[in-house]
DNA sequence: CCTCATTGGTATTTTTTCATACCGTAGAAG
DNA sequence: CTTCTACGGTATGAAAAAATACCAATGAGG
């Protein structure tokens, strides 16, 4: 076994210090819209437990997000950390800037990773026999995206994609898909939400769901690949 | 977005403390045969840098592996931490014990995750245009497995599988595949290496490589799925 | 208007982890 | 046999993180 594989196994044990990782995690949860504008995060005590860190470290992270203008922290009962941040509107943000902020190699890496895990998840899900509740969940998320207001579109689009991984019943796979999506959140948020694109995406979403429900793994994987390739090509085009 | 998705994003920031994670990482590198019997690990100073931890913490981890009988640590120039551990021989280990040592849910999770990322990786690789060096690497790894001595079979089999992910050029994807494989190492090591199985696997390996080189993503993904499903079914069968 | 549960805010101590410097050893090279 | 040097071994102080306990505020409900 060559040196190359040693790199995969003897890679860093931790990405950074607990504080930095926590800020990153919370920031992405906010940017992704997991906790929408106006809603509050779980209490510090709960969050600290879920994130596996001390309340002190969590508070430092929350404080920095507060100072950066993402959160409004209120005390007392029924208080908490409320999300102030609003993602870029339907008109999108500065895509070129967002793309060039991350390295070309990192972008390619993230896109490849996302393609692999999301295709894999759809493929797996298509081989499973879904019960009625699971089918309902999938269709519900699809309907949510199709009926989304422009300002909610990206949030519900993300929810739809993550549902596919979650329905496989594999937490590891769900985490991998969530991670993959987090790495391109800023970029996706900068893409304008335009009518034709939405219609195109809707057709592709439908194709994905149909293939999954029909038990067609290859078809599901291919449908996801086509869907993701669209935004991937767009993003790659912005590499200076 | 429902509570379920909150779980994916507000999951633990770190799996455990630095010491525990380091022990786990080194242990798996040893069990996987990345550093074969008799070879030595990189020096403490190098390893600490690569793993992103302090030398003190690394030494604690090495010491516990030494006490557990996996490593022989020698000092002085040309010294180092040498691997004593030998993986279970061709006759395999106690599979039932290994399977039941990890929970049923964890096993299903790990198998699903592995299936998704390895299928995804093969699929991606089949869409890429490989240069001659990459094709040579892939064929070389395939030949290595086919020509492997029984005692080296699992190590070279792992090397072959990880090569597919590495050749995609995505470190994230390579890491995910390595992680997926690590989670089932103990189980795979416990499976006896038998002649008929090797022949069967060799045919499947050939099918995977052929599909990749032919630029057939669906075929590559399906070939990997079939290959992995074999061991997955075997392992699931041992769930008490 | 008061109570009180729930939430953020603060302080203190302990544990873990890191950074740095230095010591002891062994084995190849001359 | 001596030297040189790349390795593990040790010590110490600082920093990060965690654990614990307690304080303060707020607003719904009685």
């Amino acid at each position: 076994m060559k040196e190359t594989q040693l790199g995969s196994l003897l890679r860093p044990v931790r990405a950074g210090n607990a504080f930095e990782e926590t800020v990153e995690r919370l920031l992405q949860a906010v940017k992704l819209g997991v906790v929408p504008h106006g809603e509050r995060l779980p209490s510090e005590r709960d969050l600290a437990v879920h994130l596996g860190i001390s309340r002190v470290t969590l508070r430092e992270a929350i404080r920095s997000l507060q100072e950066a203008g993402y959160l409004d922290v209120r005390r007392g009962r029924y208080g908490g950390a409320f999300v102030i941040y609003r993602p870029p509107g339907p008109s999108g943000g500065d895509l070129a800037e967002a793309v060039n902020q991350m390295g070309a190699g990192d972008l390619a890496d993230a896109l490849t990773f996302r393609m692999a895990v999301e295709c894999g998840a759809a493929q797996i899900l298509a081989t499973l026999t879904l019960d009625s509740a699971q089918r309902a969940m999938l269709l519900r998320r699809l309907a949510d995206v199709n009926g989304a207001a422009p300002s909610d579109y990206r949030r519900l689009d993300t929810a739809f994609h993550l549902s596919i991984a979650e329905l496989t019943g594999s937490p590891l796979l769900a985490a991998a898909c969530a991670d993959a999506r987090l790495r391109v959140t800023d970029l996706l948020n900068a893409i304008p939400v335009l009518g034709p694109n939405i219609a195109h995406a809707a057709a592709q979403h439908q194709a994905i769901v149909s293939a999954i429900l029909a038990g067609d793994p290859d078809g599901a994987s291919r449908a996801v690949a086509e869907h993701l390739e669209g935004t991937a090509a767009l993003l790659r085009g912005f590499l200076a």
Side-chain angles (χ1 to χ4, degrees), chain A:
Chain A
M1 207 173 303
K2 292 276 171 44
E3 297 301 323
T4 52
Q5 304 205 334
L6 238 158
S8 297
L9 292 159
L10 301 184
R11 75 195 123 92
V13 169
R14 10 200 68 171
N17 60 39
F19 165 73
E20 289 169 347
E21 285 187 61
T22 305
V23 169
E24 201 60 25
R25 185 70 69 75
L26 293 179
L27 190 54
Q28 291 171 331
V30 169
K31 284 188 175 176
L32 216 58
V34 176
V35 182
H37 179 271
E39 294 289 295
R40 42 160 274 196
L41 269 53
S43 75
E44 292 179 352
R45 291 170 176 82
D46 283 355
L47 250 187
V49 171
H50 281 118
L51 295 178
I53 58 174
S54 75
R55 205 181 139 207
V56 178
T57 305
L58 172 62
R59 276 177 57 73
E60 287 173 11
I62 289 178
R63 184 153 162 273
S64 79
L65 289 183
Q66 181 186 15
E67 288 172 353
Y70 289 97
L71 298 174
D72 172 31
V73 180
R74 299 201 285 267
R75 33 195 294 189
R77 194 175 185 178
Y78 306 97
F82 295 80
V83 174
I84 298 180
Y85 171 86
R86 305 194 92 109
S91 57
D94 187 337
L95 190 48
E97 181 196 342
V99 169
N100 289 313
Q101 196 162 353
M102 101 191 307
D106 288 346
L107 176 60
D109 188 8
L111 291 176
T112 300
F113 182 53
R114 181 174 73 129
M115 180 69 78
V117 294
E118 290 213 19
C119 284
Q123 184 172 339
I124 297 261
L125 191 58
T127 65
L128 301 178
T129 307
L130 303 181
D131 62 31
S132 61
Q134 293 172 312
R135 286 195 303 270
M137 156 83 99
L138 191 59
L139 291 169
R140 175 57 194 275
R141 288 283 157 79
L142 177 61
D144 284 349
V145 185
N146 289 334
S151 61
D152 255 2
Y153 181 76
R154 279 184 288 261
R155 191 173 66 82
L156 295 171
D157 179 62
T158 294
F160 167 72
H161 280 274
L162 293 186
S163 292
I164 292 174
E166 276 168 16
L167 286 171
T168 64
S170 167
L172 286 170
L173 185 51
C177 285
D179 184 44
R181 205 139 247 269
L182 289 178
R183 291 176 188 276
V184 293
T185 307
D186 286 340
L187 304 175
L188 295 181
N189 279 349
I191 298 178
V193 178
L194 302 175
N197 296 347
I198 292 186
H200 194 205
Q204 293 177 325
H205 286 168
Q206 180 61 59
I208 294 170
V209 171
S210 296
I212 289 174
L213 294 180
D216 175 9
D218 285 358
S221 178
R222 207 174 315 121
V224 169
E226 283 174 16
H227 181 47
L228 298 184
E229 193 49 45
T231 55
L234 176 63
L235 294 178
R236 275 191 273 258
F238 274 85
L239 276 176

